[in-house]
Protein backbone atom coordinates (compact mmCIF):
# COMPACT_ATOMS: atom_id res chain seq x y z
CA UNK A 1 0.00 0.00 0.00
CA UNK A 2 1.43 3.45 -0.85
CA UNK A 3 2.78 5.51 2.05
CA UNK A 4 0.30 8.36 1.48
CA UNK A 5 -2.65 5.98 1.66
CA UNK A 6 -1.27 4.40 4.83
CA UNK A 7 -0.80 7.77 6.52
CA UNK A 8 -4.40 8.75 5.76
CA UNK A 9 -5.63 5.60 7.49
CA UNK A 10 -3.42 5.83 10.59
CA UNK A 11 -3.48 9.61 11.12
CA UNK A 12 -6.96 9.73 12.77
CA UNK A 13 -5.89 7.14 15.35
CA UNK A 14 -2.71 9.07 16.11
CA UNK A 15 -4.70 12.29 16.38
CA UNK A 16 -7.13 10.70 18.86
CA UNK A 17 -4.26 9.35 20.96
CA UNK A 18 -2.64 12.79 21.13
CA UNK A 19 -5.94 14.45 22.03
CA UNK A 20 -6.45 11.94 24.86
CA UNK A 21 -2.96 12.62 26.21
CA UNK A 22 -3.44 16.38 26.02
CA UNK A 23 -6.77 16.12 27.85
CA UNK A 24 -5.24 13.99 30.62
CA UNK A 25 -2.26 16.34 30.89
CA UNK A 26 -4.60 19.29 31.50
CA UNK A 27 -6.91 17.44 33.89
CA UNK A 28 -6.45 18.00 37.63
CA UNK A 29 -7.78 14.54 38.49
CA UNK A 30 -8.33 11.14 36.91
CA UNK A 31 -10.90 10.90 34.12
CA UNK A 32 -13.36 8.17 33.21
CA UNK A 33 -13.79 6.70 29.76
CA UNK A 34 -17.17 8.42 29.52
CA UNK A 35 -15.86 11.88 30.44
CA UNK A 36 -12.95 11.56 28.01
CA UNK A 37 -15.23 10.52 25.14
CA UNK A 38 -17.67 13.32 25.98
CA UNK A 39 -14.97 15.98 26.29
CA UNK A 40 -13.42 15.03 22.96
CA UNK A 41 -16.69 14.43 21.15
CA UNK A 42 -15.65 10.91 20.18
CA UNK A 43 -17.47 7.56 20.31
CA UNK A 44 -16.73 5.61 23.48
CA UNK A 45 -15.70 2.62 21.36
CA UNK A 46 -13.01 4.66 19.60
CA UNK A 47 -11.68 6.08 22.86
CA UNK A 48 -11.69 2.61 24.40
CA UNK A 49 -9.40 1.29 21.65
CA UNK A 50 -7.06 4.28 21.92
CA UNK A 51 -6.86 3.99 25.69
CA UNK A 52 -6.11 0.29 25.46
CA UNK A 53 -3.06 0.98 23.33
CA UNK A 54 -1.91 3.87 25.54
CA UNK A 55 -2.28 1.79 28.70
CA UNK A 56 -0.37 -1.13 27.15
CA UNK A 57 2.48 1.25 26.25
CA UNK A 58 2.57 2.90 29.66
CA UNK A 59 1.38 6.33 28.51
CA UNK A 60 -1.85 6.08 30.52
CA UNK A 61 -2.60 4.44 33.88
CA UNK A 62 -5.93 3.21 35.26
CA UNK A 63 -6.55 3.11 39.01
CA UNK A 64 -8.81 0.82 41.06
CA UNK A 65 -11.80 3.11 40.41
CA UNK A 66 -11.18 2.88 36.64
CA UNK A 67 -10.11 6.51 36.49
CA UNK A 68 -7.45 7.31 33.93
CA UNK A 69 -4.39 9.56 34.20
CA UNK A 70 -1.01 10.02 32.53
CA UNK A 71 1.31 7.05 32.99
CA UNK A 72 4.96 6.64 33.79
CA UNK A 73 5.98 6.68 30.12
CA UNK A 74 4.65 10.22 29.71
CA UNK A 75 6.72 11.28 32.72
CA UNK A 76 9.82 9.55 31.32
CA UNK A 77 9.51 11.33 27.98
CA UNK A 78 9.00 14.65 29.74
CA UNK A 79 12.08 14.04 31.85
CA UNK A 80 14.11 13.09 28.78
CA UNK A 81 13.05 16.29 27.02
CA UNK A 82 13.85 18.39 30.09
CA UNK A 83 17.23 16.67 30.42
CA UNK A 84 18.08 17.29 26.76
CA UNK A 85 17.05 20.93 26.97
CA UNK A 86 19.01 21.51 30.18
CA UNK A 87 22.06 19.69 28.83
CA UNK A 88 22.09 21.64 25.58
CA UNK A 89 21.80 24.94 27.47
CA UNK A 90 24.71 24.01 29.73
CA UNK A 91 26.82 22.95 26.74
CA UNK A 92 26.16 25.90 24.45
CA UNK A 93 29.01 28.16 25.58
CA UNK A 94 31.58 25.38 25.55
CA UNK A 95 30.46 24.26 22.08
CA UNK A 96 30.81 27.82 20.80
CA UNK A 97 34.37 27.93 22.18
CA UNK A 98 35.30 24.83 20.17
CA UNK A 99 33.59 26.23 17.08
CA UNK A 100 35.48 29.53 17.38
CA UNK A 101 38.81 27.76 17.95
CA UNK A 102 38.73 25.37 14.98
CA UNK A 103 35.95 26.90 12.82
CA UNK A 104 34.05 23.62 12.52
CA UNK A 105 30.45 22.69 13.31
CA UNK A 106 30.17 21.18 16.78
CA UNK A 107 27.35 18.79 17.73
CA UNK A 108 26.01 17.46 21.01
CA UNK A 109 24.09 14.18 20.97
CA UNK A 110 22.48 11.67 23.31
CA UNK A 111 21.84 7.95 22.87
CA UNK A 112 18.30 6.80 22.10
CA UNK A 113 18.00 3.08 21.48
CA UNK A 114 20.20 2.18 18.52
CA UNK A 115 20.40 5.81 17.42
CA UNK A 116 22.17 8.98 18.42
CA UNK A 117 20.05 12.13 18.45
CA UNK A 118 21.54 15.58 17.94
CA UNK A 119 20.23 17.95 20.63
CA UNK A 120 22.42 21.00 19.99
CA UNK A 121 24.71 22.40 17.32
CA UNK A 122 27.16 25.30 16.95
CA UNK A 123 27.60 25.85 13.19
CA UNK A 124 31.01 26.65 11.72
CA UNK A 125 31.58 28.65 8.55
CA UNK A 126 32.24 25.71 6.23
CA UNK A 127 29.51 24.38 3.98
CA UNK A 128 28.84 20.77 4.95
CA UNK A 129 28.20 17.89 2.57
CA UNK A 130 25.92 16.37 5.21
CA UNK A 131 24.53 18.31 8.15
CA UNK A 132 22.70 16.44 10.91
CA UNK A 133 19.92 18.74 12.05
CA UNK A 134 18.87 19.15 15.65
CA UNK A 135 16.45 16.36 16.55
CA UNK A 136 17.65 14.08 13.75
CA UNK A 137 18.46 10.46 14.60
CA UNK A 138 21.39 8.62 13.01
CA UNK A 139 22.58 5.03 13.54
CA UNK A 140 24.89 4.99 16.55
CA UNK A 141 27.10 2.17 15.28
CA UNK A 142 28.01 4.07 12.10
CA UNK A 143 28.83 7.52 13.52
CA UNK A 144 31.58 8.92 15.72
CA UNK A 145 29.02 10.52 18.02
CA UNK A 146 27.13 7.27 18.32
CA UNK A 147 30.21 5.20 19.06
CA UNK A 148 31.35 7.65 21.74
CA UNK A 149 27.94 7.13 23.36
CA UNK A 150 27.94 3.35 22.90
CA UNK A 151 31.35 3.14 24.55
CA UNK A 152 29.54 3.65 27.85
CA UNK A 153 27.73 0.29 27.49
CA UNK A 154 29.16 -3.06 28.50
CA UNK A 155 29.02 -6.21 26.34
CA UNK A 156 25.77 -7.44 27.90
CA UNK A 157 24.06 -4.12 27.21
CA UNK A 158 25.35 -4.13 23.63
CA UNK A 159 24.08 -7.69 23.10
CA UNK A 160 20.64 -6.59 24.30
CA UNK A 161 20.72 -3.49 22.10
CA UNK A 162 21.72 -5.42 18.97
CA UNK A 163 20.08 -8.86 19.29
CA UNK A 164 21.44 -11.25 16.70
CA UNK A 165 24.57 -9.17 16.22
CA UNK A 166 23.59 -7.78 12.83
CA UNK A 167 24.40 -4.18 11.92
CA UNK A 168 22.97 -2.19 9.03
CA UNK A 169 25.59 -1.40 6.38
CA UNK A 170 25.78 2.10 4.93
CA UNK A 171 29.23 2.21 3.30
CA UNK A 172 32.13 -0.15 2.73
CA UNK A 173 33.69 0.98 6.02
CA UNK A 174 30.62 0.48 8.26
CA UNK A 175 31.27 -1.95 11.12
CA UNK A 176 30.46 -5.40 9.71
CA UNK A 177 28.83 -6.86 12.82
CA UNK A 178 28.54 -6.49 16.58
CA UNK A 179 31.82 -8.32 17.19
CA UNK A 180 33.68 -5.75 15.09
CA UNK A 181 31.82 -2.92 16.80
CA UNK A 182 32.81 -4.23 20.24
CA UNK A 183 36.46 -4.17 19.21
CA UNK A 184 36.11 -0.59 17.99
CA UNK A 185 34.31 0.46 21.18
CA UNK A 186 37.00 -1.15 23.35
CA UNK A 187 39.54 1.01 21.54
CA UNK A 188 37.34 4.08 22.04
CA UNK A 189 37.16 3.39 25.80
CA UNK A 190 40.92 3.04 25.99
CA UNK A 191 41.63 6.23 24.03
CA UNK A 192 38.76 8.29 25.45
CA UNK A 193 37.33 9.20 22.04
CA UNK A 194 35.69 7.64 18.98
CA UNK A 195 36.11 8.18 15.25
CA UNK A 196 34.05 7.62 12.13
CA UNK A 197 35.95 7.02 8.90
CA UNK A 198 33.22 7.33 6.29
CA UNK A 199 31.08 4.72 8.02
CA UNK A 200 27.79 6.52 7.45
CA UNK A 201 28.76 8.73 4.51
CA UNK A 202 31.90 8.09 2.45
CA UNK A 203 34.40 10.91 2.50
CA UNK A 204 33.34 12.21 5.91
CA UNK A 205 35.58 11.91 8.95
CA UNK A 206 34.37 12.52 12.51
CA UNK A 207 35.92 12.62 15.95
CA UNK A 208 33.79 12.55 19.11
CA UNK A 209 34.31 12.52 22.86
CA UNK A 210 31.96 11.38 25.62
CA UNK A 211 30.53 13.74 28.21
CA UNK A 212 30.41 12.26 31.69
CA UNK A 213 28.00 12.83 34.54
CA UNK A 214 29.01 13.42 38.13
CA UNK A 215 29.09 9.65 38.71
CA UNK A 216 31.27 9.05 35.62
CA UNK A 217 28.46 7.75 33.39
CA UNK A 218 28.32 8.80 29.72
CA UNK A 219 25.33 11.11 29.28
CA UNK A 220 26.15 12.74 25.94
CA UNK A 221 28.89 13.17 23.35
CA UNK A 222 30.46 16.11 21.49
CA UNK A 223 31.82 15.91 17.95
CA UNK A 224 33.14 17.70 14.91
CA UNK A 225 33.13 16.24 11.41
CA UNK A 226 33.94 17.18 7.87
CA UNK A 227 35.43 16.02 4.55
CA UNK A 228 38.59 13.94 4.70
CA UNK A 229 40.51 16.42 2.52
CA UNK A 230 40.20 19.00 5.31
CA UNK A 231 40.19 16.63 8.28
CA UNK A 232 43.76 15.36 8.17
CA UNK A 233 45.44 13.95 11.28
CA UNK A 234 46.69 17.38 12.38
CA UNK A 235 43.22 18.91 12.19
CA UNK A 236 41.69 15.90 13.94
CA UNK A 237 44.21 16.30 16.77
CA UNK A 238 43.36 19.99 17.16
CA UNK A 239 39.64 19.19 17.14
CA UNK A 240 40.07 16.39 19.65
CA UNK A 241 42.01 18.60 22.07
CA UNK A 242 39.34 21.29 21.89
CA UNK A 243 36.51 18.76 22.32
CA UNK A 244 38.14 17.10 25.32
CA UNK A 245 38.56 20.46 27.00
CA UNK A 246 34.90 21.30 26.34
CA UNK A 247 33.73 17.90 27.63
CA UNK A 248 35.69 18.37 30.86
CA UNK A 249 34.23 21.85 31.35
CA UNK A 250 30.72 20.56 30.69
CA UNK A 251 31.19 17.69 33.14
CA UNK A 252 32.31 20.17 35.81
CA UNK A 253 29.34 22.41 35.01
CA UNK A 254 26.95 19.46 35.40
CA UNK A 255 28.55 18.45 38.71
CA UNK A 256 28.51 22.01 40.07
CA UNK A 257 24.86 22.51 39.12
CA UNK A 258 23.87 19.27 40.85
CA UNK A 259 25.82 20.25 43.98
CA UNK A 260 24.04 23.60 44.14
CA UNK A 261 20.56 22.18 43.56
Amino acid sequence: MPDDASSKITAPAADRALRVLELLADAEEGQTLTTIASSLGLPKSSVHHVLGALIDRGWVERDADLRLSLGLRAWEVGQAYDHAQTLSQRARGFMDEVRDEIDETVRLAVLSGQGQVCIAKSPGSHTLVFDQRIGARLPAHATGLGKALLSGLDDAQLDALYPGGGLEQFTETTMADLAALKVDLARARELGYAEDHGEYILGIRCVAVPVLSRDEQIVAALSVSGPVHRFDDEHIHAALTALQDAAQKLQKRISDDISQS
Side-chain angles (χ1 to χ4, degrees):
M1 181 179 291
D3 290 343
D4 56 349
S6 176
S7 64
K8 290 177 181 177
I9 292 173
T10 58
D15 179 69
R16 291 187 189 113
L18 292 172
R19 290 173 66 191
V20 168
L21 292 174
E22 289 169 353
L23 185 149
L24 293 177
D26 292 336
E28 295 183 358
E29 58 183 8
Q31 302 291 299
T32 66
L33 169 62
T34 300
T35 56
I36 293 173
S38 177
S39 298
L40 298 180
L42 295 172
K44 288 176 64 175
S45 58
S46 297
V47 175
H48 175 76
H49 289 303
V50 170
L51 285 170
L54 292 173
I55 290 170
D56 287 343
R57 304 284 294 187
W59 287 89
V60 172
E61 294 178 351
R62 181 168 47 204
D63 63 21
D65 296 324
L66 302 184
R67 289 190 170 272
L68 301 141
S69 58
L70 288 180
L72 181 61
R73 184 59 183 147
W75 179 85
E76 290 174 340
V77 170
Q79 288 294 104
Y81 175 79
D82 183 64
H83 171 73
Q85 290 295 101
T86 302
L87 188 58
S88 63
Q89 291 167 2
R90 287 170 172 161
R92 179 66 63 186
F94 307 131
M95 294 173 65
D96 289 345
E97 288 178 4
V98 177
R99 186 264 324 274
D100 294 342
E101 181 176 344
I102 63 174
D103 192 24
E104 299 290 353
T105 297
V106 184
R107 293 181 181 81
L108 177 72
V110 295
L111 189 65
S112 177
Q114 295 183 2
Q116 56 94 344
V117 179
C118 178
I119 63 172
K121 180 171 64 173
S122 292
S125 65
H126 299 285
T127 300
L128 300 177
V129 175
F130 174 78
D131 188 13
Q132 182 183 5
R133 69 183 187 282
I134 294 175
R137 176 191 297 265
L138 293 181
H141 72 277
T143 60
L145 266 173
K147 289 192 286 183
L149 292 164
L150 290 173
S151 68
L153 305 182
D154 59 29
D155 282 356
Q157 291 171 312
L158 290 168
D159 290 337
L161 188 60
Y162 297 102
L167 299 176
E168 185 175 359
Q169 300 296 112
F170 298 97
T171 74
E172 60 192 29
T173 60
T174 307
M175 292 290 116
D177 50 38
L178 183 55
L181 178 62
K182 286 180 177 179
V183 172
D184 199 52
L185 294 180
R187 179 176 180 275
R189 294 187 197 100
E190 180 180 354
L191 297 176
Y193 66 91
E195 290 191 79
D196 161 16
H197 294 272
E199 294 157 45
Y200 185 64
I201 296 179
L202 285 175
I204 299 296
R205 189 175 180 185
C206 171
V207 61
V209 301
V211 176
L212 305 181
S213 65
R214 188 179 186 182
D215 58 356
E216 302 293 312
Q217 298 299 306
I218 294 177
V219 294
L222 289 163
S223 80
V224 294
S225 60
V228 293
H229 68 79
R230 197 170 73 244
F231 274 66
D232 57 17
D233 289 345
E234 182 179 356
H235 193 48
I236 284 287
H237 177 73
L240 176 59
T241 300
L243 286 171
Q244 288 174 328
D245 182 58
Q248 290 173 359
K249 290 178 179 177
L250 180 52
Q251 180 183 3
K252 184 177 186 302
R253 172 74 182 277
I254 293 171
S255 297
D256 290 346
D257 287 351
I258 291 175
S259 298
Q260 295 169 11
S261 61

